[in-house]
PDB file of all heavy atoms in Angstrom:
ATOM      1  N   MET A   1     -38.155   7.966 -64.107  1.00 83.00           N
ATOM      2  CA  MET A   1     -37.068   7.962 -65.096  1.00 83.00           C
ATOM      3  C   MET A   1     -35.720   8.201 -64.382  1.00 83.00           C
ATOM      4  O   MET A   1     -35.654   8.921 -63.379  1.00 83.00           O
ATOM      5  CB  MET A   1     -37.284   9.085 -66.117  1.00 83.00           C
ATOM      6  CG  MET A   1     -38.588   8.987 -66.873  1.00 83.00           C
ATOM      7  SD  MET A   1     -38.462   8.015 -68.370  1.00 83.00           S
ATOM      8  CE  MET A   1     -37.245   8.854 -69.292  1.00 83.00           C
ATOM      9  N   PRO A   2     -34.614   7.579 -64.892  1.00 83.00           N
ATOM     10  CA  PRO A   2     -33.296   7.843 -64.289  1.00 83.00           C
ATOM     11  C   PRO A   2     -32.966   9.319 -64.380  1.00 83.00           C
ATOM     12  O   PRO A   2     -33.272  10.001 -65.356  1.00 83.00           O
ATOM     13  CB  PRO A   2     -32.357   7.007 -65.167  1.00 83.00           C
ATOM     14  CG  PRO A   2     -33.219   5.988 -65.810  1.00 83.00           C
ATOM     15  CD  PRO A   2     -34.547   6.646 -66.008  1.00 83.00           C
ATOM     16  N   ALA A   3     -32.346   9.849 -63.335  1.00 84.00           N
ATOM     17  CA  ALA A   3     -32.017  11.260 -63.306  1.00 84.00           C
ATOM     18  C   ALA A   3     -30.775  11.476 -62.440  1.00 84.00           C
ATOM     19  O   ALA A   3     -30.394  10.633 -61.643  1.00 84.00           O
ATOM     20  CB  ALA A   3     -33.180  12.071 -62.744  1.00 84.00           C
ATOM     21  N   SER A   4     -30.169  12.637 -62.632  1.00 83.00           N
ATOM     22  CA  SER A   4     -29.011  13.045 -61.836  1.00 83.00           C
ATOM     23  C   SER A   4     -29.452  14.202 -60.949  1.00 83.00           C
ATOM     24  O   SER A   4     -29.860  15.264 -61.431  1.00 83.00           O
ATOM     25  CB  SER A   4     -27.857  13.501 -62.740  1.00 83.00           C
ATOM     26  OG  SER A   4     -26.795  14.023 -61.965  1.00 83.00           O
ATOM     27  N   LEU A   5     -29.414  13.975 -59.627  1.00 87.00           N
ATOM     28  CA  LEU A   5     -29.737  15.008 -58.656  1.00 87.00           C
ATOM     29  C   LEU A   5     -28.445  15.665 -58.189  1.00 87.00           C
ATOM     30  O   LEU A   5     -27.530  15.000 -57.719  1.00 87.00           O
ATOM     31  CB  LEU A   5     -30.470  14.404 -57.464  1.00 87.00           C
ATOM     32  CG  LEU A   5     -30.731  15.328 -56.268  1.00 87.00           C
ATOM     33  CD1 LEU A   5     -31.644  16.486 -56.653  1.00 87.00           C
ATOM     34  CD2 LEU A   5     -31.296  14.545 -55.082  1.00 87.00           C
ATOM     35  N   SER A   6     -28.366  16.982 -58.340  1.00 88.00           N
ATOM     36  CA  SER A   6     -27.104  17.701 -58.050  1.00 88.00           C
ATOM     37  C   SER A   6     -27.339  18.863 -57.134  1.00 88.00           C
ATOM     38  O   SER A   6     -28.388  19.526 -57.171  1.00 88.00           O
ATOM     39  CB  SER A   6     -26.446  18.189 -59.345  1.00 88.00           C
ATOM     40  OG  SER A   6     -26.175  17.104 -60.222  1.00 88.00           O
ATOM     41  N   PHE A   7     -26.344  19.110 -56.290  1.00 90.00           N
ATOM     42  CA  PHE A   7     -26.308  20.285 -55.406  1.00 90.00           C
ATOM     43  C   PHE A   7     -25.133  21.153 -55.845  1.00 90.00           C
ATOM     44  O   PHE A   7     -24.009  20.666 -55.972  1.00 90.00           O
ATOM     45  CB  PHE A   7     -26.147  19.854 -53.957  1.00 90.00           C
ATOM     46  CG  PHE A   7     -27.293  18.983 -53.460  1.00 90.00           C
ATOM     47  CD1 PHE A   7     -27.268  17.617 -53.657  1.00 90.00           C
ATOM     48  CD2 PHE A   7     -28.392  19.553 -52.847  1.00 90.00           C
ATOM     49  CE1 PHE A   7     -28.311  16.810 -53.218  1.00 90.00           C
ATOM     50  CE2 PHE A   7     -29.439  18.773 -52.404  1.00 90.00           C
ATOM     51  CZ  PHE A   7     -29.401  17.389 -52.591  1.00 90.00           C
ATOM     52  N   VAL A   8     -25.389  22.430 -56.049  1.00 91.00           N
ATOM     53  CA  VAL A   8     -24.380  23.335 -56.636  1.00 91.00           C
ATOM     54  C   VAL A   8     -24.114  24.502 -55.680  1.00 91.00           C
ATOM     55  O   VAL A   8     -25.036  25.097 -55.119  1.00 91.00           O
ATOM     56  CB  VAL A   8     -24.865  23.885 -57.992  1.00 91.00           C
ATOM     57  CG1 VAL A   8     -23.810  24.850 -58.569  1.00 91.00           C
ATOM     58  CG2 VAL A   8     -25.138  22.743 -58.962  1.00 91.00           C
ATOM     59  N   MET A   9     -22.823  24.808 -55.480  1.00 92.00           N
ATOM     60  CA  MET A   9     -22.408  25.946 -54.653  1.00 92.00           C
ATOM     61  C   MET A   9     -21.490  26.856 -55.463  1.00 92.00           C
ATOM     62  O   MET A   9     -20.633  26.366 -56.223  1.00 92.00           O
ATOM     63  CB  MET A   9     -21.657  25.463 -53.408  1.00 92.00           C
ATOM     64  CG  MET A   9     -22.540  24.703 -52.422  1.00 92.00           C
ATOM     65  SD  MET A   9     -21.545  23.930 -51.123  1.00 92.00           S
ATOM     66  CE  MET A   9     -20.828  22.556 -52.035  1.00 92.00           C
ATOM     67  N   ASP A  10     -21.695  28.162 -55.319  1.00 92.00           N
ATOM     68  CA  ASP A  10     -20.829  29.139 -55.953  1.00 92.00           C
ATOM     69  C   ASP A  10     -19.587  29.310 -55.061  1.00 92.00           C
ATOM     70  O   ASP A  10     -19.680  29.807 -53.943  1.00 92.00           O
ATOM     71  CB  ASP A  10     -21.546  30.464 -56.108  1.00 92.00           C
ATOM     72  CG  ASP A  10     -20.758  31.477 -56.930  1.00 92.00           C
ATOM     73  OD1 ASP A  10     -19.514  31.352 -57.010  1.00 92.00           O
ATOM     74  OD2 ASP A  10     -21.374  32.420 -57.475  1.00 92.00           O
ATOM     75  N   ILE A  11     -18.409  28.899 -55.577  1.00 92.00           N
ATOM     76  CA  ILE A  11     -17.175  28.975 -54.783  1.00 92.00           C
ATOM     77  C   ILE A  11     -16.182  29.937 -55.404  1.00 92.00           C
ATOM     78  O   ILE A  11     -14.968  29.818 -55.191  1.00 92.00           O
ATOM     79  CB  ILE A  11     -16.532  27.572 -54.642  1.00 92.00           C
ATOM     80  CG1 ILE A  11     -16.210  26.996 -56.036  1.00 92.00           C
ATOM     81  CG2 ILE A  11     -17.430  26.622 -53.863  1.00 92.00           C
ATOM     82  CD1 ILE A  11     -15.307  25.777 -55.990  1.00 92.00           C
ATOM     83  N   THR A  12     -16.713  30.905 -56.182  1.00 91.00           N
ATOM     84  CA  THR A  12     -15.828  31.832 -56.882  1.00 91.00           C
ATOM     85  C   THR A  12     -14.928  32.588 -55.913  1.00 91.00           C
ATOM     86  O   THR A  12     -13.698  32.661 -56.103  1.00 91.00           O
ATOM     87  CB  THR A  12     -16.637  32.828 -57.712  1.00 91.00           C
ATOM     88  OG1 THR A  12     -17.494  32.103 -58.612  1.00 91.00           O
ATOM     89  CG2 THR A  12     -15.721  33.741 -58.525  1.00 91.00           C
ATOM     90  N   ASP A  13     -15.513  33.163 -54.857  1.00 90.00           N
ATOM     91  CA  ASP A  13     -14.708  33.919 -53.889  1.00 90.00           C
ATOM     92  C   ASP A  13     -13.711  32.995 -53.170  1.00 90.00           C
ATOM     93  O   ASP A  13     -12.560  33.371 -52.934  1.00 90.00           O
ATOM     94  CB  ASP A  13     -15.610  34.586 -52.872  1.00 90.00           C
ATOM     95  CG  ASP A  13     -16.471  35.682 -53.510  1.00 90.00           C
ATOM     96  OD1 ASP A  13     -16.081  36.177 -54.595  1.00 90.00           O
ATOM     97  OD2 ASP A  13     -17.524  36.020 -52.941  1.00 90.00           O
ATOM     98  N   HIS A  14     -14.168  31.811 -52.821  1.00 89.00           N
ATOM     99  CA  HIS A  14     -13.292  30.843 -52.160  1.00 89.00           C
ATOM    100  C   HIS A  14     -12.134  30.440 -53.077  1.00 89.00           C
ATOM    101  O   HIS A  14     -10.987  30.361 -52.644  1.00 89.00           O
ATOM    102  CB  HIS A  14     -14.095  29.618 -51.739  1.00 89.00           C
ATOM    103  CG  HIS A  14     -13.290  28.557 -51.070  1.00 89.00           C
ATOM    104  ND1 HIS A  14     -12.790  28.706 -49.771  1.00 89.00           N
ATOM    105  CD2 HIS A  14     -12.871  27.333 -51.493  1.00 89.00           C
ATOM    106  CE1 HIS A  14     -12.117  27.611 -49.458  1.00 89.00           C
ATOM    107  NE2 HIS A  14     -12.145  26.780 -50.468  1.00 89.00           N
ATOM    108  N   LYS A  15     -12.465  30.227 -54.358  1.00 89.00           N
ATOM    109  CA  LYS A  15     -11.420  29.836 -55.329  1.00 89.00           C
ATOM    110  C   LYS A  15     -10.429  30.976 -55.523  1.00 89.00           C
ATOM    111  O   LYS A  15      -9.204  30.745 -55.619  1.00 89.00           O
ATOM    112  CB  LYS A  15     -12.073  29.496 -56.674  1.00 89.00           C
ATOM    113  CG  LYS A  15     -11.111  28.991 -57.756  1.00 89.00           C
ATOM    114  CD  LYS A  15     -10.550  27.639 -57.370  1.00 89.00           C
ATOM    115  CE  LYS A  15      -9.802  26.985 -58.540  1.00 89.00           C
ATOM    116  NZ  LYS A  15      -8.719  27.762 -59.101  1.00 89.00           N
ATOM    117  N   ARG A  16     -10.927  32.207 -55.556  1.00 89.00           N
ATOM    118  CA  ARG A  16     -10.039  33.354 -55.709  1.00 89.00           C
ATOM    119  C   ARG A  16      -9.092  33.456 -54.501  1.00 89.00           C
ATOM    120  O   ARG A  16      -7.898  33.703 -54.648  1.00 89.00           O
ATOM    121  CB  ARG A  16     -10.857  34.644 -55.847  1.00 89.00           C
ATOM    122  CG  ARG A  16     -10.000  35.877 -56.116  1.00 89.00           C
ATOM    123  CD  ARG A  16     -10.845  37.128 -56.232  1.00 89.00           C
ATOM    124  NE  ARG A  16     -11.792  37.048 -57.317  1.00 89.00           N
ATOM    125  CZ  ARG A  16     -13.098  36.963 -57.186  1.00 89.00           C
ATOM    126  NH1 ARG A  16     -13.648  36.966 -55.951  1.00 89.00           N
ATOM    127  NH2 ARG A  16     -13.898  36.897 -58.235  1.00 89.00           N
ATOM    128  N   ALA A  17      -9.650  33.246 -53.297  1.00 88.00           N
ATOM    129  CA  ALA A  17      -8.808  33.277 -52.093  1.00 88.00           C
ATOM    130  C   ALA A  17      -7.781  32.152 -52.127  1.00 88.00           C
ATOM    131  O   ALA A  17      -6.621  32.354 -51.765  1.00 88.00           O
ATOM    132  CB  ALA A  17      -9.684  33.161 -50.846  1.00 88.00           C
ATOM    133  N   GLU A  18      -8.192  30.968 -52.586  1.00 86.00           N
ATOM    134  CA  GLU A  18      -7.248  29.842 -52.697  1.00 86.00           C
ATOM    135  C   GLU A  18      -6.108  30.185 -53.663  1.00 86.00           C
ATOM    136  O   GLU A  18      -4.951  29.903 -53.396  1.00 86.00           O
ATOM    137  CB  GLU A  18      -7.981  28.594 -53.191  1.00 86.00           C
ATOM    138  CG  GLU A  18      -8.768  27.866 -52.131  1.00 86.00           C
ATOM    139  CD  GLU A  18      -9.341  26.587 -52.678  1.00 86.00           C
ATOM    140  OE1 GLU A  18      -9.340  26.391 -53.936  1.00 86.00           O
ATOM    141  OE2 GLU A  18      -9.816  25.737 -51.881  1.00 86.00           O
ATOM    142  N   ASP A  19      -6.484  30.785 -54.799  1.00 86.00           N
ATOM    143  CA  ASP A  19      -5.480  31.142 -55.804  1.00 86.00           C
ATOM    144  C   ASP A  19      -4.507  32.177 -55.237  1.00 86.00           C
ATOM    145  O   ASP A  19      -3.292  32.096 -55.492  1.00 86.00           O
ATOM    146  CB  ASP A  19      -6.154  31.682 -57.066  1.00 86.00           C
ATOM    147  CG  ASP A  19      -6.900  30.604 -57.820  1.00 86.00           C
ATOM    148  OD1 ASP A  19      -6.618  29.423 -57.587  1.00 86.00           O
ATOM    149  OD2 ASP A  19      -7.783  30.966 -58.641  1.00 86.00           O
ATOM    150  N   GLU A  20      -5.041  33.155 -54.501  1.00 86.00           N
ATOM    151  CA  GLU A  20      -4.164  34.168 -53.916  1.00 86.00           C
ATOM    152  C   GLU A  20      -3.195  33.543 -52.901  1.00 86.00           C
ATOM    153  O   GLU A  20      -2.022  33.893 -52.878  1.00 86.00           O
ATOM    154  CB  GLU A  20      -5.011  35.245 -53.233  1.00 86.00           C
ATOM    155  CG  GLU A  20      -5.771  36.128 -54.229  1.00 86.00           C
ATOM    156  CD  GLU A  20      -6.715  37.088 -53.533  1.00 86.00           C
ATOM    157  OE1 GLU A  20      -6.842  37.000 -52.285  1.00 86.00           O
ATOM    158  OE2 GLU A  20      -7.344  37.921 -54.229  1.00 86.00           O
ATOM    159  N   VAL A  21      -3.725  32.619 -52.080  1.00 85.00           N
ATOM    160  CA  VAL A  21      -2.860  31.932 -51.124  1.00 85.00           C
ATOM    161  C   VAL A  21      -1.814  31.106 -51.833  1.00 85.00           C
ATOM    162  O   VAL A  21      -0.640  31.089 -51.469  1.00 85.00           O
ATOM    163  CB  VAL A  21      -3.698  31.047 -50.185  1.00 85.00           C
ATOM    164  CG1 VAL A  21      -2.802  30.147 -49.338  1.00 85.00           C
ATOM    165  CG2 VAL A  21      -4.579  31.891 -49.284  1.00 85.00           C
ATOM    166  N   ARG A  22      -2.237  30.413 -52.917  1.00 85.00           N
ATOM    167  CA  ARG A  22      -1.294  29.578 -53.675  1.00 85.00           C
ATOM    168  C   ARG A  22      -0.202  30.417 -54.295  1.00 85.00           C
ATOM    169  O   ARG A  22       0.978  30.076 -54.243  1.00 85.00           O
ATOM    170  CB  ARG A  22      -2.040  28.796 -54.747  1.00 85.00           C
ATOM    171  CG  ARG A  22      -1.153  27.941 -55.628  1.00 85.00           C
ATOM    172  CD  ARG A  22      -1.960  27.207 -56.676  1.00 85.00           C
ATOM    173  NE  ARG A  22      -2.823  28.102 -57.420  1.00 85.00           N
ATOM    174  CZ  ARG A  22      -2.386  28.900 -58.409  1.00 85.00           C
ATOM    175  NH1 ARG A  22      -1.095  28.893 -58.748  1.00 85.00           N
ATOM    176  NH2 ARG A  22      -3.251  29.667 -59.062  1.00 85.00           N
ATOM    177  N   VAL A  23      -0.603  31.553 -54.895  1.00 84.00           N
ATOM    178  CA  VAL A  23       0.393  32.448 -55.520  1.00 84.00           C
ATOM    179  C   VAL A  23       1.355  32.963 -54.472  1.00 84.00           C
ATOM    180  O   VAL A  23       2.580  33.027 -54.677  1.00 84.00           O
ATOM    181  CB  VAL A  23      -0.309  33.604 -56.256  1.00 84.00           C
ATOM    182  CG1 VAL A  23       0.703  34.659 -56.680  1.00 84.00           C
ATOM    183  CG2 VAL A  23      -1.071  33.089 -57.465  1.00 84.00           C
ATOM    184  N   SER A  24       0.795  33.346 -53.310  1.00 82.00           N
ATOM    185  CA  SER A  24       1.638  33.848 -52.232  1.00 82.00           C
ATOM    186  C   SER A  24       2.614  32.769 -51.734  1.00 82.00           C
ATOM    187  O   SER A  24       3.792  33.041 -51.550  1.00 82.00           O
ATOM    188  CB  SER A  24       0.756  34.324 -51.070  1.00 82.00           C
ATOM    189  OG  SER A  24       1.566  34.777 -50.002  1.00 82.00           O
ATOM    190  N   GLU A  25       2.094  31.554 -51.586  1.00 79.00           N
ATOM    191  CA  GLU A  25       2.950  30.443 -51.144  1.00 79.00           C
ATOM    192  C   GLU A  25       4.028  30.156 -52.165  1.00 79.00           C
ATOM    193  O   GLU A  25       5.193  29.927 -51.815  1.00 79.00           O
ATOM    194  CB  GLU A  25       2.112  29.200 -50.894  1.00 79.00           C
ATOM    195  CG  GLU A  25       1.243  29.279 -49.651  1.00 79.00           C
ATOM    196  CD  GLU A  25       0.391  28.045 -49.461  1.00 79.00           C
ATOM    197  OE1 GLU A  25       0.301  27.252 -50.424  1.00 79.00           O
ATOM    198  OE2 GLU A  25      -0.169  27.868 -48.366  1.00 79.00           O
ATOM    199  N   GLU A  26       3.645  30.171 -53.436  1.00 81.00           N
ATOM    200  CA  GLU A  26       4.642  29.920 -54.483  1.00 81.00           C
ATOM    201  C   GLU A  26       5.702  30.998 -54.506  1.00 81.00           C
ATOM    202  O   GLU A  26       6.897  30.724 -54.700  1.00 81.00           O
ATOM    203  CB  GLU A  26       3.945  29.824 -55.850  1.00 81.00           C
ATOM    204  CG  GLU A  26       3.103  28.572 -56.034  1.00 81.00           C
ATOM    205  CD  GLU A  26       2.397  28.532 -57.363  1.00 81.00           C
ATOM    206  OE1 GLU A  26       2.480  29.562 -58.084  1.00 81.00           O
ATOM    207  OE2 GLU A  26       1.762  27.522 -57.688  1.00 81.00           O
ATOM    208  N   LYS A  27       5.263  32.272 -54.301  1.00 79.00           N
ATOM    209  CA  LYS A  27       6.225  33.376 -54.309  1.00 79.00           C
ATOM    210  C   LYS A  27       7.227  33.223 -53.168  1.00 79.00           C
ATOM    211  O   LYS A  27       8.439  33.321 -53.395  1.00 79.00           O
ATOM    212  CB  LYS A  27       5.470  34.702 -54.180  1.00 79.00           C
ATOM    213  CG  LYS A  27       6.395  35.929 -54.184  1.00 79.00           C
ATOM    214  CD  LYS A  27       5.627  37.213 -54.099  1.00 79.00           C
ATOM    215  CE  LYS A  27       5.047  37.407 -52.719  1.00 79.00           C
ATOM    216  NZ  LYS A  27       4.429  38.759 -52.553  1.00 79.00           N
ATOM    217  N   TYR A  28       6.710  32.983 -51.986  1.00 77.00           N
ATOM    218  CA  TYR A  28       7.615  32.884 -50.835  1.00 77.00           C
ATOM    219  C   TYR A  28       8.442  31.596 -50.910  1.00 77.00           C
ATOM    220  O   TYR A  28       9.594  31.573 -50.457  1.00 77.00           O
ATOM    221  CB  TYR A  28       6.827  32.949 -49.535  1.00 77.00           C
ATOM    222  CG  TYR A  28       6.343  34.336 -49.243  1.00 77.00           C
ATOM    223  CD1 TYR A  28       4.986  34.640 -49.270  1.00 77.00           C
ATOM    224  CD2 TYR A  28       7.243  35.366 -48.962  1.00 77.00           C
ATOM    225  CE1 TYR A  28       4.551  35.933 -49.028  1.00 77.00           C
ATOM    226  CE2 TYR A  28       6.794  36.664 -48.727  1.00 77.00           C
ATOM    227  CZ  TYR A  28       5.449  36.943 -48.751  1.00 77.00           C
ATOM    228  OH  TYR A  28       5.023  38.209 -48.517  1.00 77.00           O
ATOM    229  N   ARG A  29       7.866  30.555 -51.471  1.00 77.00           N
ATOM    230  CA  ARG A  29       8.644  29.317 -51.639  1.00 77.00           C
ATOM    231  C   ARG A  29       9.791  29.548 -52.627  1.00 77.00           C
ATOM    232  O   ARG A  29      10.909  29.088 -52.427  1.00 77.00           O
ATOM    233  CB  ARG A  29       7.742  28.185 -52.147  1.00 77.00           C
ATOM    234  CG  ARG A  29       8.473  26.851 -52.296  1.00 77.00           C
ATOM    235  CD  ARG A  29       8.818  26.276 -50.964  1.00 77.00           C
ATOM    236  NE  ARG A  29       9.660  25.083 -51.082  1.00 77.00           N
ATOM    237  CZ  ARG A  29      10.039  24.353 -50.064  1.00 77.00           C
ATOM    238  NH1 ARG A  29       9.656  24.665 -48.842  1.00 77.00           N
ATOM    239  NH2 ARG A  29      10.793  23.298 -50.242  1.00 77.00           N
ATOM    240  N   THR A  30       9.478  30.302 -53.703  1.00 78.00           N
ATOM    241  CA  THR A  30      10.516  30.618 -54.687  1.00 78.00           C
ATOM    242  C   THR A  30      11.626  31.453 -54.050  1.00 78.00           C
ATOM    243  O   THR A  30      12.809  31.215 -54.286  1.00 78.00           O
ATOM    244  CB  THR A  30       9.912  31.403 -55.864  1.00 78.00           C
ATOM    245  OG1 THR A  30       8.912  30.596 -56.489  1.00 78.00           O
ATOM    246  CG2 THR A  30      10.971  31.751 -56.893  1.00 78.00           C
ATOM    247  N   ILE A  31      11.211  32.417 -53.211  1.00 77.00           N
ATOM    248  CA  ILE A  31      12.211  33.238 -52.514  1.00 77.00           C
ATOM    249  C   ILE A  31      13.070  32.367 -51.611  1.00 77.00           C
ATOM    250  O   ILE A  31      14.293  32.458 -51.603  1.00 77.00           O
ATOM    251  CB  ILE A  31      11.515  34.355 -51.719  1.00 77.00           C
ATOM    252  CG1 ILE A  31      10.844  35.357 -52.662  1.00 77.00           C
ATOM    253  CG2 ILE A  31      12.511  35.066 -50.807  1.00 77.00           C
ATOM    254  CD1 ILE A  31       9.990  36.377 -51.956  1.00 77.00           C
ATOM    255  N   LEU A  32      12.403  31.476 -50.844  1.00 77.00           N
ATOM    256  CA  LEU A  32      13.131  30.623 -49.919  1.00 77.00           C
ATOM    257  C   LEU A  32      14.126  29.723 -50.645  1.00 77.00           C
ATOM    258  O   LEU A  32      15.229  29.478 -50.167  1.00 77.00           O
ATOM    259  CB  LEU A  32      12.153  29.755 -49.120  1.00 77.00           C
ATOM    260  CG  LEU A  32      11.502  30.388 -47.888  1.00 77.00           C
ATOM    261  CD1 LEU A  32      10.546  29.406 -47.226  1.00 77.00           C
ATOM    262  CD2 LEU A  32      12.544  30.840 -46.881  1.00 77.00           C
ATOM    263  N   GLU A  33      13.700  29.201 -51.800  1.00 77.00           N
ATOM    264  CA  GLU A  33      14.567  28.296 -52.527  1.00 77.00           C
ATOM    265  C   GLU A  33      15.657  29.028 -53.305  1.00 77.00           C
ATOM    266  O   GLU A  33      16.611  28.397 -53.775  1.00 77.00           O
ATOM    267  CB  GLU A  33      13.737  27.428 -53.493  1.00 77.00           C
ATOM    268  CG  GLU A  33      12.724  26.524 -52.791  1.00 77.00           C
ATOM    269  CD  GLU A  33      13.339  25.558 -51.802  1.00 77.00           C
ATOM    270  OE1 GLU A  33      14.575  25.356 -51.859  1.00 77.00           O
ATOM    271  OE2 GLU A  33      12.617  25.021 -50.957  1.00 77.00           O
ATOM    272  N   SER A  34      15.495  30.350 -53.464  1.00 78.00           N
ATOM    273  CA  SER A  34      16.492  31.117 -54.251  1.00 78.00           C
ATOM    274  C   SER A  34      17.577  31.729 -53.369  1.00 78.00           C
ATOM    275  O   SER A  34      18.675  32.013 -53.883  1.00 78.00           O
ATOM    276  CB  SER A  34      15.765  32.227 -55.027  1.00 78.00           C
ATOM    277  OG  SER A  34      14.805  31.680 -55.910  1.00 78.00           O
ATOM    278  N   ILE A  35      17.304  31.955 -52.109  1.00 84.00           N
ATOM    279  CA  ILE A  35      18.291  32.627 -51.281  1.00 84.00           C
ATOM    280  C   ILE A  35      19.455  31.698 -50.944  1.00 84.00           C
ATOM    281  O   ILE A  35      19.305  30.473 -50.901  1.00 84.00           O
ATOM    282  CB  ILE A  35      17.667  33.145 -49.950  1.00 84.00           C
ATOM    283  CG1 ILE A  35      17.084  31.985 -49.120  1.00 84.00           C
ATOM    284  CG2 ILE A  35      16.627  34.186 -50.236  1.00 84.00           C
ATOM    285  CD1 ILE A  35      16.547  32.410 -47.767  1.00 84.00           C
ATOM    286  N   GLU A  36      20.615  32.273 -50.744  1.00 87.00           N
ATOM    287  CA  GLU A  36      21.810  31.490 -50.416  1.00 87.00           C
ATOM    288  C   GLU A  36      21.761  31.016 -48.972  1.00 87.00           C
ATOM    289  O   GLU A  36      22.298  29.949 -48.647  1.00 87.00           O
ATOM    290  CB  GLU A  36      23.067  32.352 -50.619  1.00 87.00           C
ATOM    291  CG  GLU A  36      23.411  32.606 -52.080  1.00 87.00           C
ATOM    292  CD  GLU A  36      23.808  31.326 -52.812  1.00 87.00           C
ATOM    293  OE1 GLU A  36      24.570  30.540 -52.234  1.00 87.00           O
ATOM    294  OE2 GLU A  36      23.308  31.117 -53.933  1.00 87.00           O
TER     295      GLU A  36
END
């Protein structure tokens, strides 16, 4: 019968680290773009 074979990885910690890096980058980018 037709079927979908899938491989699944838990990336919660990786995603959290990505979000922290993104927030940090956005914060420093905002600072850089705001300074005279």
Side-chain angles (χ1 to χ4, degrees):
M1 301 270 301
S4 174
L5 173 63
S6 301
F7 299 87
V8 179
M9 293 170 285
D10 187 337
I11 59 167
T12 304
D13 293 339
H14 179 72
K15 184 68 169 57
R16 185 182 298 113
E18 281 185 348
D19 291 342
E20 290 174 355
V21 170
R22 177 180 52 78
V23 170
S24 178
E25 288 178 347
E26 289 178 354
K27 180 178 72 173
Y28 287 112
R29 183 69 187 184
T30 300
I31 293 172
L32 277 179
E33 297 302 343
S34 300
I35 61 175
E36 288 294 316

